[in-house]
Amino acid sequence: MTDAVLHHARIALVGNPNSGKTALFNALTGARQKVANYAGVTVERKEGMIRGASGRTMSVVDLPGTYSLRARSPDEEVTRDVVLGRFAGEASPDVMVAVADATNLRLVLRLILELKAVGRPMVLALNMYDIAERQGLRIDIEGLRAELGVPIVTTVATRKRGLDDLVAAVEAELAAQPASLPSAWTSPDAEGIRAAHREAGRIMRAHVRPPEHPDTLTGRIDSVLLHPVFGLAILLGILFVMFQAVFAWAAPLMDGIEALMAGLGGLVAAALPDNLLRSLIIDGLISGVGSVLVFLPQILILFLFIILLEDFGYMARAAFLMDRIMGGAGLHGRAFIPLLSSFACAIPGIMSTRVIDNKRDRMATILVAPLMTCSARIPVYTLIIGAFIPQQTVGGVFNLQGLVMFGLYAAGIVSALGVSFLIRRVFWRGRVEPFMMQLPAYKAPDIKNVALNLWQRAMIFINRAGRIILPLMVLIWVLSTFPYPPEGATGPAIDYSFAGMIGHAIQPLLAPIGFNWQMSIALVPGMAAREVAVAALGTVYAVGDAESATGVLASTLAAQWSLASGLAFLAWYVFAPQCAPTLGVVKRETNSWKWPIIMFVYMVALAYLAAFVVYQGARAIGWG
Amino acid sequence: MSDSFPLSQARVGARGVIVQVGDHGDHDEHAIELERRLLEFGLVEGARIEVLHEGGIKRDPIALRVDEAVVALRRREAASLMVRADDAA
Ligand SMILES: Nc1nc2c(ncn2[C@@H]2O[C@H](COP(=O)(O)OP(=O)(O)OP(=O)(O)O)[C@@H](O)[C@H]2O)c(=O)[nH]1
Ligand SMILES: [Mg+2]
């Protein structure tokens, strides 16, 4: 048997950024890779399987978008290497599907001319054909097909239109078994690119009529959103509303979940005799995991905002508005989207820095990304804010707790800018790299896509609670329950447990920043994931005090901690690198332990310093 | 060509045709790379452009319509593009 029989045929989706490759990939394979309306969403290759009408299975590879095979950034290199068959043990794809945004053909035509030199069979998918039709864009498909010498299908990836035709065209190419030509691709010089542009321009003029109803809405929206003065104010306003919403809208839902957890604890308490098992379930599982699950509504509200902005097409605008400010801090304009995604979670944020081509620009962005307030900090912030900041309205409209939350986010942003300034303007001075970015047309967010994304987020969060937090909670419960206090002991039992011993042992180190031993013990498992600290506090206080077992953690904290300690804990969490997966991803993306270690050390140092200043400052003004 | 100017000096509303990309005498590695990237991005001789928006700080960056696409660019890079004005106005 030959290789061709043993292996599935491989099909690669290639094209400019934001042309709908991933949407097409998802539609073809049923995968759920991230789709959003800005360039550079996909940064690694993903494979999936499809079955053609003949029953033949083929593997499809989704690739990062690019304007040229002459790759400049790590994501584009992936595309180049897959297309040219440079990955070890992999030949070039058997068929390339060039995915084009039908409303924006010029650049992809030039890319197709480059792809043709690779010498593999190709099919052109004119995607976003719905928009082309709506605009009255007239494409002479037959002429284009003859000119380019490749079969053409029209598709609407988001509505799953044209998929069968596309797969059939691919299968026809496979069946034709064309002699595979050796790749004649060489990196084009400026004159080569100009010549290809002239050719693409000629093809455009011959076969594409300009749209009868061009999109004017995008321009009109942009004249407001990109306004030199109001633009930035609107951006700040959007972020502000987002954080207010995280507090204001989530409250009723959170109360509901809290009541549910309390009810569950009550049921278990009534059903089980007072023994160790009951303590494990109520104090360890329900108090620990429940205290984290309560934050699901807030996290979903945050994600709802981010997903809507991404789908609408606002992200590239935000990057445009922030470019000068970021540049002042030594960051590249393209760093904005990775940093904004880090509000959700630093891990996708760090991965999306692959669109940044300069190594130092990319490294600086990676190092500061975890300073952006990720959603795992929300439980910590909300718990402490709920315990220490009164629920009141200031200035008639602003919720004070929301304001403090906004302040914590601002602290994260300002410190990220400060640190990157230090890195790029003091340690690593260098030339400023060019910034070029497409501003995509606005699109109405796709409700299904939004709902699906939210659902995935909810599942990830609940999974984390189950897989990371739950086992850690069992461990903490064991540590805080055993050993039992000696006969005739006077203090609370937990003081004599392992947790008490560990907490008391490290507490002197943390005393200058106002942490008591319960906070100290919560930091240890909290190194794995930030929200674990909340769960750990839930368990430590539940075991320590039977009364509050099903009570509300926030009120326990308010009674037990000074305001200064509470604020210091918040300050610590703005900076602390308490997330093992983030450090792991930095190791993977930079291929060395050096950077995660540098990140860990500088963030711990900042966290300690910030907590120290806040604690001592708050005590000095009498909040101790 | 008295009516051609570097794109970096253009204000909102300026329209024209790109007449030169890159400074052809410059053989600095970065200049050569920048030229290729501008070209790949569609900023090529003959492309019609219109400045649509500019940033709030030092009017930077700028957003341009380039043929049918809209792209954002810093004035620093726009300095390598010479444009011939369309409207004599
Ligand atoms: N109306 C319409 N929108 C589409 C179609 N295909 C994709 N989109 C939208 O276009 C945007 C970009 O889609 P993606 O699939 O993320 O594009 P991509 O080519 O994978 O982009 P990169 O990964 O950044 O290279 C998203 O907002 C999609 O919802 C289509 O056929 N019609
Ligand atoms: Mg993609």
PDB file of all heavy atoms in Angstrom, chain A residues 68 70 72 106 188 194 197 228 323-324 357 433-435 437 439, chain B residues 21 33 35-37 39-40 45 56 60 67-68 70 72 74 77:
ATOM      1  N   SER A  68       0.983  36.851   3.388  1.00  0.00           N
ATOM      2  CA  SER A  68       2.089  36.418   2.540  1.00  0.00           C
ATOM      3  C   SER A  68       2.713  35.174   3.147  1.00  0.00           C
ATOM      4  O   SER A  68       2.647  34.959   4.350  1.00  0.00           O
ATOM      5  CB  SER A  68       3.099  37.563   2.478  1.00  0.00           C
ATOM      6  OG  SER A  68       4.411  37.075   2.374  1.00  0.00           O
ATOM      7  N   ARG A  70       5.759  34.802   3.215  1.00  0.00           N
ATOM      8  CA  ARG A  70       7.021  35.283   3.744  1.00  0.00           C
ATOM      9  C   ARG A  70       6.790  35.637   5.222  1.00  0.00           C
ATOM     10  O   ARG A  70       6.732  36.775   5.600  1.00  0.00           O
ATOM     11  CB  ARG A  70       7.378  36.551   2.966  1.00  0.00           C
ATOM     12  CG  ARG A  70       8.816  36.904   2.868  1.00  0.00           C
ATOM     13  CD  ARG A  70       8.913  38.148   2.005  1.00  0.00           C
ATOM     14  NE  ARG A  70       8.105  39.238   2.519  1.00  0.00           N
ATOM     15  CZ  ARG A  70       8.484  40.033   3.501  1.00  0.00           C
ATOM     16  NH1 ARG A  70       9.627  39.884   4.081  1.00  0.00           N
ATOM     17  NH2 ARG A  70       7.689  41.011   3.908  1.00  0.00           N
ATOM     18  N   ARG A  72       6.436  36.539   9.046  1.00  0.00           N
ATOM     19  CA  ARG A  72       7.191  37.454   9.886  1.00  0.00           C
ATOM     20  C   ARG A  72       7.011  37.167  11.376  1.00  0.00           C
ATOM     21  O   ARG A  72       7.873  37.443  12.175  1.00  0.00           O
ATOM     22  CB  ARG A  72       6.725  38.885   9.605  1.00  0.00           C
ATOM     23  CG  ARG A  72       7.181  39.391   8.290  1.00  0.00           C
ATOM     24  CD  ARG A  72       8.534  39.994   8.414  1.00  0.00           C
ATOM     25  NE  ARG A  72       8.579  40.885   9.566  1.00  0.00           N
ATOM     26  CZ  ARG A  72       9.695  41.355  10.088  1.00  0.00           C
ATOM     27  NH1 ARG A  72      10.840  41.023   9.575  1.00  0.00           N
ATOM     28  NH2 ARG A  72       9.651  42.161  11.131  1.00  0.00           N
ATOM     29  N   ARG A 106      -8.630  41.829  -3.154  1.00  0.00           N
ATOM     30  CA  ARG A 106      -7.375  42.227  -3.760  1.00  0.00           C
ATOM     31  C   ARG A 106      -6.162  41.545  -3.122  1.00  0.00           C
ATOM     32  O   ARG A 106      -5.323  40.959  -3.802  1.00  0.00           O
ATOM     33  CB  ARG A 106      -7.236  43.743  -3.671  1.00  0.00           C
ATOM     34  CG  ARG A 106      -6.210  44.339  -4.580  1.00  0.00           C
ATOM     35  CD  ARG A 106      -6.253  45.853  -4.454  1.00  0.00           C
ATOM     36  NE  ARG A 106      -7.534  46.364  -4.899  1.00  0.00           N
ATOM     37  CZ  ARG A 106      -7.750  46.834  -6.126  1.00  0.00           C
ATOM     38  NH1 ARG A 106      -6.768  46.833  -7.002  1.00  0.00           N
ATOM     39  NH2 ARG A 106      -8.929  47.297  -6.466  1.00  0.00           N
ATOM     40  N   PRO A 188       9.429  36.415  -2.122  1.00  0.00           N
ATOM     41  CA  PRO A 188       9.457  37.468  -3.135  1.00  0.00           C
ATOM     42  C   PRO A 188      10.146  38.732  -2.621  1.00  0.00           C
ATOM     43  O   PRO A 188      10.037  39.055  -1.438  1.00  0.00           O
ATOM     44  CB  PRO A 188       7.974  37.735  -3.403  1.00  0.00           C
ATOM     45  CG  PRO A 188       7.273  37.309  -2.164  1.00  0.00           C
ATOM     46  CD  PRO A 188       8.096  36.217  -1.547  1.00  0.00           C
ATOM     47  N   ARG A 194       5.337  43.781  -6.100  1.00  0.00           N
ATOM     48  CA  ARG A 194       4.687  44.790  -6.960  1.00  0.00           C
ATOM     49  C   ARG A 194       4.105  44.124  -8.207  1.00  0.00           C
ATOM     50  O   ARG A 194       2.970  44.405  -8.597  1.00  0.00           O
ATOM     51  CB  ARG A 194       5.697  45.844  -7.381  1.00  0.00           C
ATOM     52  CG  ARG A 194       6.021  46.827  -6.279  1.00  0.00           C
ATOM     53  CD  ARG A 194       6.836  47.996  -6.829  1.00  0.00           C
ATOM     54  NE  ARG A 194       6.962  49.030  -5.829  1.00  0.00           N
ATOM     55  CZ  ARG A 194       7.977  49.092  -4.958  1.00  0.00           C
ATOM     56  NH1 ARG A 194       8.933  48.184  -4.989  1.00  0.00           N
ATOM     57  NH2 ARG A 194       8.012  50.054  -4.047  1.00  0.00           N
ATOM     58  N   HIS A 197       1.018  42.326  -7.432  1.00  0.00           N
ATOM     59  CA  HIS A 197      -0.086  43.265  -7.199  1.00  0.00           C
ATOM     60  C   HIS A 197      -0.663  43.759  -8.513  1.00  0.00           C
ATOM     61  O   HIS A 197      -1.878  43.909  -8.652  1.00  0.00           O
ATOM     62  CB  HIS A 197       0.401  44.472  -6.402  1.00  0.00           C
ATOM     63  CG  HIS A 197       0.112  44.357  -4.934  1.00  0.00           C
ATOM     64  ND1 HIS A 197      -1.149  44.148  -4.443  1.00  0.00           N
ATOM     65  CD2 HIS A 197       0.918  44.412  -3.863  1.00  0.00           C
ATOM     66  CE1 HIS A 197      -1.102  44.082  -3.130  1.00  0.00           C
ATOM     67  NE2 HIS A 197       0.153  44.235  -2.744  1.00  0.00           N
ATOM     68  N   PRO A 228     -11.404  61.552  17.512  1.00  0.00           N
ATOM     69  CA  PRO A 228     -10.162  61.827  18.237  1.00  0.00           C
ATOM     70  C   PRO A 228     -10.376  62.122  19.725  1.00  0.00           C
ATOM     71  O   PRO A 228      -9.501  61.826  20.541  1.00  0.00           O
ATOM     72  CB  PRO A 228      -9.579  63.038  17.515  1.00  0.00           C
ATOM     73  CG  PRO A 228     -10.413  63.291  16.323  1.00  0.00           C
ATOM     74  CD  PRO A 228     -11.554  62.337  16.293  1.00  0.00           C
ATOM     75  N   ASP A 323      -3.231  52.873  20.678  1.00  0.00           N
ATOM     76  CA  ASP A 323      -1.878  52.691  20.150  1.00  0.00           C
ATOM     77  C   ASP A 323      -0.871  53.681  20.722  1.00  0.00           C
ATOM     78  O   ASP A 323       0.217  53.301  21.137  1.00  0.00           O
ATOM     79  CB  ASP A 323      -1.889  52.767  18.619  1.00  0.00           C
ATOM     80  CG  ASP A 323      -0.497  52.598  18.061  1.00  0.00           C
ATOM     81  OD1 ASP A 323       0.077  51.525  18.290  1.00  0.00           O
ATOM     82  OD2 ASP A 323       0.039  53.530  17.436  1.00  0.00           O
ATOM     83  N   ARG A 324      -1.212  54.965  20.759  1.00  0.00           N
ATOM     84  CA  ARG A 324      -0.252  55.964  21.244  1.00  0.00           C
ATOM     85  C   ARG A 324       0.069  55.736  22.711  1.00  0.00           C
ATOM     86  O   ARG A 324       1.198  55.873  23.144  1.00  0.00           O
ATOM     87  CB  ARG A 324      -0.828  57.381  21.093  1.00  0.00           C
ATOM     88  CG  ARG A 324      -0.628  58.017  19.752  1.00  0.00           C
ATOM     89  CD  ARG A 324       0.749  57.946  19.238  1.00  0.00           C
ATOM     90  NE  ARG A 324       1.723  58.800  19.860  1.00  0.00           N
ATOM     91  CZ  ARG A 324       2.682  59.433  19.188  1.00  0.00           C
ATOM     92  NH1 ARG A 324       2.744  59.357  17.881  1.00  0.00           N
ATOM     93  NH2 ARG A 324       3.579  60.157  19.818  1.00  0.00           N
ATOM     94  N   ASP A 357       5.579  40.307  15.888  1.00  0.00           N
ATOM     95  CA  ASP A 357       6.729  39.661  15.273  1.00  0.00           C
ATOM     96  C   ASP A 357       8.047  39.940  15.973  1.00  0.00           C
ATOM     97  O   ASP A 357       8.901  39.079  16.037  1.00  0.00           O
ATOM     98  CB  ASP A 357       6.810  39.980  13.788  1.00  0.00           C
ATOM     99  CG  ASP A 357       6.587  41.434  13.509  1.00  0.00           C
ATOM    100  OD1 ASP A 357       7.444  42.249  13.868  1.00  0.00           O
ATOM    101  OD2 ASP A 357       5.533  41.762  12.953  1.00  0.00           O
ATOM    102  N   GLU A 433       8.732  49.051  16.204  1.00  0.00           N
ATOM    103  CA  GLU A 433       8.318  48.226  15.069  1.00  0.00           C
ATOM    104  C   GLU A 433       7.078  48.818  14.405  1.00  0.00           C
ATOM    105  O   GLU A 433       6.269  49.471  15.062  1.00  0.00           O
ATOM    106  CB  GLU A 433       7.988  46.818  15.554  1.00  0.00           C
ATOM    107  CG  GLU A 433       9.211  46.041  15.965  1.00  0.00           C
ATOM    108  CD  GLU A 433      10.106  45.702  14.786  1.00  0.00           C
ATOM    109  OE1 GLU A 433       9.591  45.167  13.792  1.00  0.00           O
ATOM    110  OE2 GLU A 433      11.309  45.990  14.859  1.00  0.00           O
ATOM    111  N   PRO A 434       6.921  48.578  13.123  1.00  0.00           N
ATOM    112  CA  PRO A 434       5.736  49.112  12.449  1.00  0.00           C
ATOM    113  C   PRO A 434       4.434  48.507  12.986  1.00  0.00           C
ATOM    114  O   PRO A 434       4.424  47.397  13.512  1.00  0.00           O
ATOM    115  CB  PRO A 434       5.941  48.712  10.988  1.00  0.00           C
ATOM    116  CG  PRO A 434       7.054  47.767  10.949  1.00  0.00           C
ATOM    117  CD  PRO A 434       7.834  47.898  12.197  1.00  0.00           C
ATOM    118  N   PHE A 435       3.399  49.282  12.877  1.00  0.00           N
ATOM    119  CA  PHE A 435       2.075  48.847  13.326  1.00  0.00           C
ATOM    120  C   PHE A 435       1.123  49.025  12.161  1.00  0.00           C
ATOM    121  O   PHE A 435       0.916  50.124  11.688  1.00  0.00           O
ATOM    122  CB  PHE A 435       1.645  49.704  14.509  1.00  0.00           C
ATOM    123  CG  PHE A 435       0.204  49.562  14.896  1.00  0.00           C
ATOM    124  CD1 PHE A 435      -0.266  48.382  15.416  1.00  0.00           C
ATOM    125  CD2 PHE A 435      -0.670  50.635  14.759  1.00  0.00           C
ATOM    126  CE1 PHE A 435      -1.599  48.265  15.785  1.00  0.00           C
ATOM    127  CE2 PHE A 435      -1.996  50.521  15.130  1.00  0.00           C
ATOM    128  CZ  PHE A 435      -2.451  49.331  15.638  1.00  0.00           C
ATOM    129  N   MET A 437      -2.679  47.361  10.706  1.00  0.00           N
ATOM    130  CA  MET A 437      -3.768  46.481  11.123  1.00  0.00           C
ATOM    131  C   MET A 437      -4.978  46.794  10.277  1.00  0.00           C
ATOM    132  O   MET A 437      -5.254  47.946   9.989  1.00  0.00           O
ATOM    133  CB  MET A 437      -4.050  46.794  12.588  1.00  0.00           C
ATOM    134  CG  MET A 437      -4.985  45.886  13.282  1.00  0.00           C
ATOM    135  SD  MET A 437      -5.214  46.471  14.976  1.00  0.00           S
ATOM    136  CE  MET A 437      -5.809  48.111  14.653  1.00  0.00           C
ATOM    137  N   LEU A 439      -8.911  47.263   9.805  1.00  0.00           N
ATOM    138  CA  LEU A 439     -10.087  47.542  10.630  1.00  0.00           C
ATOM    139  C   LEU A 439     -11.255  46.846   9.937  1.00  0.00           C
ATOM    140  O   LEU A 439     -11.718  47.305   8.894  1.00  0.00           O
ATOM    141  CB  LEU A 439     -10.325  49.046  10.728  1.00  0.00           C
ATOM    142  CG  LEU A 439      -9.198  49.852  11.381  1.00  0.00           C
ATOM    143  CD1 LEU A 439      -9.542  51.327  11.407  1.00  0.00           C
ATOM    144  CD2 LEU A 439      -8.913  49.370  12.788  1.00  0.00           C
TER     145      LEU A 439
ATOM    146  N   VAL B  21       6.326  53.793  -2.864  1.00  0.00           N
ATOM    147  CA  VAL B  21       6.417  53.102  -1.581  1.00  0.00           C
ATOM    148  C   VAL B  21       7.889  52.889  -1.283  1.00  0.00           C
ATOM    149  O   VAL B  21       8.615  52.302  -2.072  1.00  0.00           O
ATOM    150  CB  VAL B  21       5.711  51.734  -1.631  1.00  0.00           C
ATOM    151  CG1 VAL B  21       5.788  51.047  -0.274  1.00  0.00           C
ATOM    152  CG2 VAL B  21       4.273  51.895  -2.061  1.00  0.00           C
ATOM    153  N   GLU B  33      12.609  45.773   4.584  1.00  0.00           N
ATOM    154  CA  GLU B  33      11.559  44.948   5.174  1.00  0.00           C
ATOM    155  C   GLU B  33      10.249  45.733   5.261  1.00  0.00           C
ATOM    156  O   GLU B  33       9.182  45.225   4.915  1.00  0.00           O
ATOM    157  CB  GLU B  33      12.008  44.466   6.567  1.00  0.00           C
ATOM    158  CG  GLU B  33      10.984  43.665   7.325  1.00  0.00           C
ATOM    159  CD  GLU B  33      10.475  42.457   6.560  1.00  0.00           C
ATOM    160  OE1 GLU B  33      11.257  41.870   5.770  1.00  0.00           O
ATOM    161  OE2 GLU B  33       9.292  42.116   6.741  1.00  0.00           O
ATOM    162  N   GLU B  35       9.271  48.188   3.450  1.00  0.00           N
ATOM    163  CA  GLU B  35       8.719  48.352   2.111  1.00  0.00           C
ATOM    164  C   GLU B  35       7.922  47.105   1.707  1.00  0.00           C
ATOM    165  O   GLU B  35       6.785  47.192   1.249  1.00  0.00           O
ATOM    166  CB  GLU B  35       9.851  48.601   1.120  1.00  0.00           C
ATOM    167  CG  GLU B  35       9.381  48.751  -0.318  1.00  0.00           C
ATOM    168  CD  GLU B  35      10.549  48.998  -1.274  1.00  0.00           C
ATOM    169  OE1 GLU B  35      11.633  49.409  -0.801  1.00  0.00           O
ATOM    170  OE2 GLU B  35      10.378  48.768  -2.482  1.00  0.00           O
ATOM    171  N   ARG B  36       8.524  45.929   1.941  1.00  0.00           N
ATOM    172  CA  ARG B  36       7.822  44.700   1.550  1.00  0.00           C
ATOM    173  C   ARG B  36       6.523  44.528   2.327  1.00  0.00           C
ATOM    174  O   ARG B  36       5.507  44.098   1.789  1.00  0.00           O
ATOM    175  CB  ARG B  36       8.725  43.489   1.806  1.00  0.00           C
ATOM    176  CG  ARG B  36       9.870  43.435   0.815  1.00  0.00           C
ATOM    177  CD  ARG B  36      10.337  42.023   0.653  1.00  0.00           C
ATOM    178  NE  ARG B  36      11.480  41.741   1.492  1.00  0.00           N
ATOM    179  CZ  ARG B  36      12.075  40.545   1.536  1.00  0.00           C
ATOM    180  NH1 ARG B  36      11.609  39.540   0.838  1.00  0.00           N
ATOM    181  NH2 ARG B  36      13.111  40.351   2.307  1.00  0.00           N
ATOM    182  N   ARG B  37       6.560  44.897   3.612  1.00  0.00           N
ATOM    183  CA  ARG B  37       5.343  44.700   4.401  1.00  0.00           C
ATOM    184  C   ARG B  37       4.250  45.660   4.000  1.00  0.00           C
ATOM    185  O   ARG B  37       3.077  45.300   3.968  1.00  0.00           O
ATOM    186  CB  ARG B  37       5.670  44.825   5.887  1.00  0.00           C
ATOM    187  CG  ARG B  37       6.554  43.671   6.283  1.00  0.00           C
ATOM    188  CD  ARG B  37       6.797  43.632   7.723  1.00  0.00           C
ATOM    189  NE  ARG B  37       5.614  43.353   8.494  1.00  0.00           N
ATOM    190  CZ  ARG B  37       5.589  43.504   9.809  1.00  0.00           C
ATOM    191  NH1 ARG B  37       6.623  43.968  10.441  1.00  0.00           N
ATOM    192  NH2 ARG B  37       4.513  43.201  10.485  1.00  0.00           N
ATOM    193  N   LEU B  39       3.844  46.801   1.077  1.00  0.00           N
ATOM    194  CA  LEU B  39       3.334  46.297  -0.205  1.00  0.00           C
ATOM    195  C   LEU B  39       2.374  45.134   0.027  1.00  0.00           C
ATOM    196  O   LEU B  39       1.283  45.084  -0.537  1.00  0.00           O
ATOM    197  CB  LEU B  39       4.501  45.853  -1.092  1.00  0.00           C
ATOM    198  CG  LEU B  39       5.401  46.977  -1.628  1.00  0.00           C
ATOM    199  CD1 LEU B  39       6.638  46.391  -2.288  1.00  0.00           C
ATOM    200  CD2 LEU B  39       4.635  47.857  -2.605  1.00  0.00           C
ATOM    201  N   GLU B  40       2.783  44.195   0.883  1.00  0.00           N
ATOM    202  CA  GLU B  40       1.929  43.030   1.120  1.00  0.00           C
ATOM    203  C   GLU B  40       0.600  43.431   1.750  1.00  0.00           C
ATOM    204  O   GLU B  40      -0.391  42.717   1.633  1.00  0.00           O
ATOM    205  CB  GLU B  40       2.647  42.041   2.045  1.00  0.00           C
ATOM    206  CG  GLU B  40       3.714  41.252   1.321  1.00  0.00           C
ATOM    207  CD  GLU B  40       4.649  40.540   2.266  1.00  0.00           C
ATOM    208  OE1 GLU B  40       4.561  40.736   3.495  1.00  0.00           O
ATOM    209  OE2 GLU B  40       5.482  39.786   1.780  1.00  0.00           O
ATOM    210  N   GLU B  45       2.017  51.114  -5.126  1.00  0.00           N
ATOM    211  CA  GLU B  45       1.855  52.183  -6.119  1.00  0.00           C
ATOM    212  C   GLU B  45       0.577  51.938  -6.915  1.00  0.00           C
ATOM    213  O   GLU B  45       0.327  50.816  -7.365  1.00  0.00           O
ATOM    214  CB  GLU B  45       3.050  52.216  -7.078  1.00  0.00           C
ATOM    215  CG  GLU B  45       4.336  52.763  -6.473  1.00  0.00           C
ATOM    216  CD  GLU B  45       5.179  51.700  -5.778  1.00  0.00           C
ATOM    217  OE1 GLU B  45       4.688  50.551  -5.650  1.00  0.00           O
ATOM    218  OE2 GLU B  45       6.302  51.998  -5.365  1.00  0.00           O
ATOM    219  N   GLY B  56      -6.330  60.551  18.658  1.00  0.00           N
ATOM    220  CA  GLY B  56      -6.486  61.767  19.445  1.00  0.00           C
ATOM    221  C   GLY B  56      -5.164  62.366  19.887  1.00  0.00           C
ATOM    222  O   GLY B  56      -5.058  63.563  20.103  1.00  0.00           O
ATOM    223  N   ASP B  60      -2.256  60.556  15.731  1.00  0.00           N
ATOM    224  CA  ASP B  60      -1.626  59.302  15.351  1.00  0.00           C
ATOM    225  C   ASP B  60      -2.329  58.179  16.100  1.00  0.00           C
ATOM    226  O   ASP B  60      -2.704  58.374  17.260  1.00  0.00           O
ATOM    227  CB  ASP B  60      -0.143  59.383  15.746  1.00  0.00           C
ATOM    228  CG  ASP B  60       0.706  58.360  15.032  1.00  0.00           C
ATOM    229  OD1 ASP B  60       0.329  57.960  13.925  1.00  0.00           O
ATOM    230  OD2 ASP B  60       1.728  57.975  15.592  1.00  0.00           O
ATOM    231  N   ASP B  67      -8.100  51.148  -1.438  1.00  0.00           N
ATOM    232  CA  ASP B  67      -9.014  50.446  -2.328  1.00  0.00           C
ATOM    233  C   ASP B  67     -10.265  50.079  -1.529  1.00  0.00           C
ATOM    234  O   ASP B  67     -10.893  50.953  -0.981  1.00  0.00           O
ATOM    235  CB  ASP B  67      -8.334  49.253  -3.004  1.00  0.00           C
ATOM    236  CG  ASP B  67      -7.234  49.730  -3.955  1.00  0.00           C
ATOM    237  OD1 ASP B  67      -7.479  50.732  -4.650  1.00  0.00           O
ATOM    238  OD2 ASP B  67      -6.158  49.142  -3.971  1.00  0.00           O
ATOM    239  N   GLU B  68     -10.578  48.762  -1.358  1.00  0.00           N
ATOM    240  CA  GLU B  68     -11.848  48.494  -0.654  1.00  0.00           C
ATOM    241  C   GLU B  68     -11.680  48.182   0.838  1.00  0.00           C
ATOM    242  O   GLU B  68     -12.660  48.009   1.548  1.00  0.00           O
ATOM    243  CB  GLU B  68     -12.697  47.431  -1.356  1.00  0.00           C
ATOM    244  CG  GLU B  68     -11.991  46.205  -1.933  1.00  0.00           C
ATOM    245  CD  GLU B  68     -11.101  46.524  -3.130  1.00  0.00           C
ATOM    246  OE1 GLU B  68     -11.604  47.027  -4.146  1.00  0.00           O
ATOM    247  OE2 GLU B  68      -9.890  46.278  -3.021  1.00  0.00           O
ATOM    248  N   VAL B  70     -10.070  48.925   4.901  1.00  0.00           N
ATOM    249  CA  VAL B  70      -9.689  50.006   5.810  1.00  0.00           C
ATOM    250  C   VAL B  70      -8.542  49.511   6.678  1.00  0.00           C
ATOM    251  O   VAL B  70      -8.642  48.453   7.296  1.00  0.00           O
ATOM    252  CB  VAL B  70     -10.874  50.440   6.704  1.00  0.00           C
ATOM    253  CG1 VAL B  70     -10.448  51.589   7.607  1.00  0.00           C
ATOM    254  CG2 VAL B  70     -12.056  50.844   5.846  1.00  0.00           C
ATOM    255  N   ALA B  72      -5.229  50.556   9.527  1.00  0.00           N
ATOM    256  CA  ALA B  72      -4.656  51.513  10.456  1.00  0.00           C
ATOM    257  C   ALA B  72      -3.144  51.458  10.326  1.00  0.00           C
ATOM    258  O   ALA B  72      -2.563  50.400  10.088  1.00  0.00           O
ATOM    259  CB  ALA B  72      -5.079  51.177  11.879  1.00  0.00           C
ATOM    260  N   ARG B  74       0.656  53.799  11.547  1.00  0.00           N
ATOM    261  CA  ARG B  74       1.221  54.952  12.254  1.00  0.00           C
ATOM    262  C   ARG B  74       1.801  55.933  11.240  1.00  0.00           C
ATOM    263  O   ARG B  74       2.247  55.541  10.179  1.00  0.00           O
ATOM    264  CB  ARG B  74       2.331  54.500  13.190  1.00  0.00           C
ATOM    265  CG  ARG B  74       1.831  53.803  14.407  1.00  0.00           C
ATOM    266  CD  ARG B  74       2.954  53.656  15.416  1.00  0.00           C
ATOM    267  NE  ARG B  74       2.535  52.752  16.472  1.00  0.00           N
ATOM    268  CZ  ARG B  74       3.290  51.757  16.929  1.00  0.00           C
ATOM    269  NH1 ARG B  74       4.484  51.560  16.440  1.00  0.00           N
ATOM    270  NH2 ARG B  74       2.839  50.983  17.888  1.00  0.00           N
ATOM    271  N   GLU B  77       5.241  55.092   9.830  1.00  0.00           N
ATOM    272  CA  GLU B  77       5.347  54.220   8.655  1.00  0.00           C
ATOM    273  C   GLU B  77       4.780  54.912   7.415  1.00  0.00           C
ATOM    274  O   GLU B  77       5.256  54.679   6.305  1.00  0.00           O
ATOM    275  CB  GLU B  77       4.597  52.899   8.885  1.00  0.00           C
ATOM    276  CG  GLU B  77       5.371  51.887   9.693  1.00  0.00           C
ATOM    277  CD  GLU B  77       5.212  52.101  11.173  1.00  0.00           C
ATOM    278  OE1 GLU B  77       4.067  52.124  11.675  1.00  0.00           O
ATOM    279  OE2 GLU B  77       6.248  52.263  11.845  1.00  0.00           O
TER     280      GLU B  77
END
